[in-house]
């Protein structure tokens, strides 16, 4: 199939679909504020609308879709959407990212509906730390959700940890050991200065280099298994064969291989996590645009893409100018600027 290429030759392949901007946690690195501006309910795309848009994207070359949010399990009847999207034969890779709080209840229905790959965000194994990091007392439910995923039979379980210096950077080994016990691959993510991370500062970033140094000291030599291609994680291997990933978006951005874009729950299409503008696909969809007309918007949108947001942030760092991306006042004017709206 012809790939639709952007201005730097990157293919349109990978779509993250946010199904809600609501979340049942208030993570320090994502939603640290007390108040948020939410997307108007009537703007949220229906499952039929989402399915139509995903169909169009897959006809243009997308073959990887990940459902996300906000917290995707807060969207009512999510298994119905999974079933609808599962009929799309062009999708080679279909996964979901969740904070796990509602997973014990929903994992069986999601599996039944055809979802077999799940990533659970898990930043700590300590309940009191979880409460401090998320302002919610639901750590036990997350662990229960992870157990349920294994029991139900999902073929691929990953655990994503945002590593923050001084918060949870002393838990890398415990998290890897936990991953081994539950049969999940752990991926450590550098704390990013995305919209919504209003408490971000460079000194809270635990770099890939620091993580590898810590792990090497404990386990012995850590080997690189696979460099990242278009996937964000580089994969490493411990001497005992355990593999894990590091997503070093902050200190070693991978914009030149980035093939992902993001659809918000109300149909705004963003070409970069750092982009301040997106393309509104809901309006033409609801005005009755045909699939061909929507393709005629999406294709040039991608072909003219020049985004390399994470690399640009790094340039600012070299100039000593890197700080919080967007101030709270600006975020309040447009919820689309928030990480929890775009889906991470
Ligand atoms: N609620 C779901 C969850 O917790 O996985 C899905 C949405 S969440 C926005 C998706 C991912 O973004 C999570 O893995 C989260 O840890 C990550 N994330 C959010 N803010 C981040 C930040 N400032 N730096 C790095 N990763 C971040």
């Amino acid at each position: 199939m012809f790939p639709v290429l952007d201005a730097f030759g990157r293919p349109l392949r990978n779509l993250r679909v946010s199904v809600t901007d609501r979340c049942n946690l208030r993570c320090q690195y994502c939603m640290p504020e007390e108040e948020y501006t939410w997307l108007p309910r009537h703007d949220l795309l229906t499952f039929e609308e989402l399915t139509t848009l995903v169909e169009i994207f897959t006809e243009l070359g997308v073959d990887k879709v990940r459902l996300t949010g906000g917290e995707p399990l807060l969207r009512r009847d999510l298994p119905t959407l999974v079933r609808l999207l599962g009929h799309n034969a062009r999708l080679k890779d279909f996964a979901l990212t969740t904070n796990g709080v509602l997973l014990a209840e929903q994992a069986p229905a999601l599996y039944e509906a055809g979802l077999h790959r799940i990533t659970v965000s898990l930043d700590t194994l300590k309940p009191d730390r979880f409460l401090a990091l998320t302002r919610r007392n639901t750590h036990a439910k997350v662990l229960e959700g992870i157990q349920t995923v294994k029991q139900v039979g999902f073929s691929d379980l990953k655990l994503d940890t945002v590593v923050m210096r001084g918060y949870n950077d002393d838990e890398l080994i415990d998290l890897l050991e936990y991953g081994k016990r539950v049969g999940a691959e752990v991926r450590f993510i550098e704390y990013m200065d995305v919209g919504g991370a209003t408490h971000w500062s460079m000194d809270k970033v635990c770099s890939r280099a620091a993580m590898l140094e810590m792990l090497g000291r404990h386990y012995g030599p850590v080997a690189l298994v696979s460099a990242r291609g278009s996937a964000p994680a580089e994969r490493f291997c411990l001497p005992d064969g355990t593999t894990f990933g590091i997503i070093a978006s902050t200190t070693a951005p991978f914009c030149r291989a980035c093939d992902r874009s993001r659809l918000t729950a109300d149909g705004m299409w963003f070409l970069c996590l750092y982009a301040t503008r997106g393309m509104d696909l809901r309006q033409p969809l609801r005005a009755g645009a045909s699939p061909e007309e929507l393709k005629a918007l999406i294709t040039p949108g991608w072909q003219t893409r020049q985004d390399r947001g994470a690399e640009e942030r790094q340039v600012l760092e070299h100039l000593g100018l890197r700080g919080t991306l967007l101030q709270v006042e600006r975020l309040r004017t447009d919820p689309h600027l928030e990480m929890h709206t775009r889906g991470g």
Side-chain angles (χ1 to χ4, degrees), residues 29-30 68-71 97-99 121 162 190-192 194 197 339 343:
Y29 51 75
C30 190
T68 176
E71 172 45 39
T97 296
T98 170
N99 61 31
S121 297
V162 178
E190 288 181 350
Y191 183 19
M192 295 170 68
V194 287
M339 178 76 152

Side-chain angles (χ1 to χ4, degrees), residues 295-314:
K295 281 182 200 167
L297 292 172
I298 294 168
T299 303
W302 187 263
Q303 284 169 331
T304 51
R305 175 184 188 242
Q306 296 196 26
D307 299 74
R308 36 186 288 279
E311 286 177 356
E312 284 166 1
R313 297 296 295 162
Q314 215 186 14

Side-chain angles (χ1 to χ4, degrees), residues 44-61:
L44 298 194
L45 299 183
T46 63
F47 287 169
E48 288 68 26
E49 288 171 330
L50 279 169
T51 307
T52 301
L53 285 181
V54 169
E55 184 78 33
I56 289 167
F57 274 105
T58 58
E59 284 171 15
L60 290 172

Side-chain angles (χ1 to χ4, degrees), residues 41-315:
R41 293 239 167 213
H42 56 266
D43 283 355
L44 298 194
L45 299 183
T46 63
F47 287 169
E48 288 68 26
E49 288 171 330
L50 279 169
T51 307
T52 301
L53 285 181
V54 169
E55 184 78 33
I56 289 167
F57 274 105
T58 58
E59 284 171 15
L60 290 172
V62 166
D63 60 6
K64 291 176 166 203
V65 166
R66 179 173 290 272
L67 299 180
T68 176
E71 172 45 39
L73 302 192
L74 287 176
R75 179 82 188 240
R76 196 179 304 165
D77 294 333
L78 192 66
T80 302
L81 178 64
V82 167
R83 198 165 278 116
L84 286 168
L85 296 179
H87 288 139
N88 187 330
R90 292 190 180 85
L91 274 189
K92 294 202 186 106
D93 187 349
F94 181 34
L96 169 98
T97 296
T98 170
N99 61 31
V101 174
L102 298 172
L103 204 46
E105 298 156 35
Q106 297 193 25
L110 289 167
Y111 186 82
E112 182 93 340
L115 184 80
H116 295 156
R117 295 192 52 215
I118 275 200
T119 300
V120 181
S121 297
L122 180 69
D123 300 320
T124 178
L125 293 170
K126 302 181 185 196
D128 53 338
R129 192 174 274 186
F130 182 91
L131 177 60
L133 267 171
T134 68
R135 284 188 278 147
R136 300 292 184 270
N137 202 359
T138 47
H139 189 248
K141 291 187 78 177
V142 177
L143 298 189
E144 192 193 334
I146 291 170
Q147 292 297 343
T148 310
V149 166
K150 289 316 285 186
Q151 283 154 15
V152 168
F154 280 80
S155 56
D156 185 354
L157 170 63
K158 291 200 174 65
L159 301 176
D160 274 5
T161 302
V162 178
V163 185
M164 292 171 76
R165 197 178 279 285
Y167 288 76
N168 61 349
D169 56 332
D170 55 350
E171 285 195 67
L172 302 193
I173 291 153
D174 292 344
L175 284 159
L176 277 180
E177 293 300 319
Y178 175 78
K180 284 188 209 176
R181 290 201 295 280
V182 298
E185 184 163 300
V186 177
R187 300 189 310 178
F188 298 117
I189 306 174
E190 288 181 350
Y191 183 19
M192 295 170 68
D193 52 348
V194 287
T198 45
H199 294 192
W200 187 91
S201 59
M202 197 64 211
D203 59 315
K204 290 191 195 134
V205 176
C206 182
S207 68
R208 172 182 63 181
M211 295 185 216
L212 287 174
E213 205 269 320
M214 255 187 271
L215 295 171
R217 233 184 307 134
H218 182 83
Y219 289 108
V222 176
L224 180 67
V225 185
S226 50
R228 59 184 170 222
S230 61
E234 286 163 298
R235 290 180 71 235
F236 297 90
C237 186
L238 299 177
D240 71 356
T242 305
T243 53
F244 66 97
I246 297 186
I247 301 177
S249 323
T250 303
T251 67
F254 39 90
C255 301
R256 64 204 60 202
C258 178
D259 60 4
R260 63 193 53 204
S261 59
R262 295 171 165 82
L263 188 66
T264 62
D266 66 342
M268 290 286 280
W269 184 43
F270 285 92
L271 307 186
C272 177
L273 209 41
Y274 289 91
T276 46
R277 283 214 205 114
M279 181 186 282
D280 182 1
L281 296 177
R282 181 187 76 251
Q283 197 272 335
L285 180 69
R286 290 198 174 161
S290 67
E292 291 316 312
E293 285 167 331
L294 286 162
K295 281 182 200 167
L297 292 172
I298 294 168
T299 303
W302 187 263
Q303 284 169 331
T304 51
R305 175 184 188 242
Q306 296 196 26
D307 299 74
R308 36 186 288 279
E311 286 177 356
E312 284 166 1
R313 297 296 295 162
Q314 215 186 14
V315 172

